[in-house]
Amino acid sequence: MSRASDKATAIAKAARDAAIARGVEEIGAVLPDVTVTAIEDGIELKGREIARRLVTDPVLRWIGRLFR
């Protein structure tokens, strides 16, 4: 059973990594002024006044819908 569990874990990790990579590409294309980086558990956004923009910029609010 351990072999099946290990394979399932590897498949899940590959799917997560692919989704993160796809998200980095898509978000980077939509937000060229924001630094988009893949991190182990997700995607990191860095940019000027990013916290304020998360509230006021509809493009940044839209990002969450990519992963639903």
Side-chain angles (χ1 to χ4, degrees):
M1 192 65 153
S2 178
R3 183 178 278 173
S5 177
D6 292 345
K7 186 172 183 174
T9 300
I11 291 170
K13 183 179 180 330
R16 181 191 69 197
D17 292 346
I20 290 171
R22 186 178 68 248
V24 167
E25 287 180 27
E26 291 181 16
I27 294 167
V30 174
L31 299 168
D33 61 329
V34 174
T35 302
V36 184
T37 309
I39 57 174
E40 184 176 336
D41 293 330
I43 298 172
E44 180 179 64
L45 303 176
K46 289 184 182 179
R48 185 174 181 150
E49 298 183 4
I50 194 77
R52 180 189 58 79
R53 288 180 60 193
L54 285 170
V55 175
T56 61
D57 190 341
V59 173
L60 286 171
R61 290 193 309 258
W62 163 84
I63 289 171
R65 294 183 189 144
L66 279 175
F67 301 103
R68 287 187 184 182

